[in-house]
Amino acid sequence: MKFSDTNIITVYILGVMITAIITSSRTISFLQSAASVVVFNYFFTDPRFSLDIYDPGYPITFAISFIAALITSNIALKMKTQARELAKLAYRTKIILDTNQLLQNGKTIEEIGNTMATQLGKVLGHTVVYYGLEGEHLGSPVIYNANGEKDESHQIRLITENEHAVAEWVFKNNKRAGATTGTLSEAACYYLAVRSLDAVYAVVGIEIEDGEILGAFESNMLMAILSESATVMEREVLRTREEVATEKANSEKLRANLLRSISHDLRTPLTSICGNADMLLQGKLNEDKKEKVYSYIYDDSFWLLNLVENLLSVTRIEDGGMKIKKQADMLEDLIEEALKHISRKSREFVIRVNMEDEMQLVNVDSRLILQVIINIVDNAVNYTPPGGEIVISTKKEKSFVHVQIADTGKGIPDEDKPHIFEMFYTANNEITDSKRSLGLGLALCKSIINAHGGRITVYDNKPKGAVFDFTVPAEEVEIHE
């Protein structure tokens, strides 16, 4: 083809580079460089098809070509090695980022542990045995295969009593053990603790076959994932402890507020009942005064009865013991029944009921909704001047029924509206749900309505007074023809 020596050497260098690219051994590159010199001499130098050399400059050419081939192959090999390392680094970075994100999304220690074991299986390409905690001891092992999937059909040798004993040793001593270590090395797995400085949150075992040892890359990935998992688990443990402490503090606060309020607010009606009963026992009252004393005792006793009912309901809510038992019921019957249990003082007011549909059915817990209506109407009675009007109206809106209780009292200041459904809120002892109240009635109403999937609000009744509006689920009537 009449190539010049320069072109032939360029082709020669190209062959060396291609060989270096498609191989991964310096020995192969060295042999290929030497062989290429021989081939070059045999095919491209005169006399052709022999290894004789006539031109005295060819040995120098051969030597330079050989050195150039070695340098070129070394550079190509280094570039390939760097490319592999960069690919490993990129893969490692991606796995670490993915693992970190998945661990951060874990809501419980169990979820975090499952995520950790799944990622370890994918990264290491080994079967992983995960031991979570049950109380202060290791729980049952869970096996994840190299694809990060739970594998209940894996060899039983990974979950024997001996393997569990090695995991327990790691948990108690906060040190690694098992295969490839100097401690309990007869185990089938290499066990490590998922730990912080002084606490162990789980134990993981990496299956080791035929004396295999994890490489530096796998070991680094393993330690990075375990460290990140331990950090997230520690944070979750601290968060759980903080929630428990907060819940306990709130419970103590509730108990203290109840005791303080009860001791203060029960004294007045009980003292009144005792005093009035004493006057009756003395027998010095005429019939008119006796009638008044009887009414005082009745009113105070009625208030105490409602208070106890509210206290019991609040206690059930705080303990999570309030059960909603819904059933279809006539809303008109519920309102009528509630008005029978209103304070005797309601006789001093005009109470009207305006129903959009007298046959309206609702799907509610009747006992609880009765308590809501009684609490709100009693509230209206206590804050409306005698002779005032209280109107109970209803209307259906989509799948809910609105119940509105409006009074003509002094109303509720705007700054107090956002707080009146809070427990123990009494707005400077003015805005309460009873004249002598613990501030429980309206808070209880909100809890009951929320439990029914409804909502309760308050707004002004023009020109004066307040309107309490709550919703309850409507019950649709099925007509079978």
Side-chain angles (χ1 to χ4, degrees), residues 173-176 193-197 199-202 226-227 230-231:
N173 293 275
N174 198 1
K175 295 179 181 179
R176 65 187 67 187
V194 184
R195 63 183 185 177
S196 60
L197 291 177
V200 176
Y201 304 108
L226 291 183
S227 176
T231 300

Side-chain angles (χ1 to χ4, degrees), residues 97-108:
L97 290 175
D98 290 346
T99 302
N100 181 64
Q101 184 175 8
L102 291 171
L103 291 174
Q104 298 296 335
N105 292 335
K107 303 298 183 184
T108 63

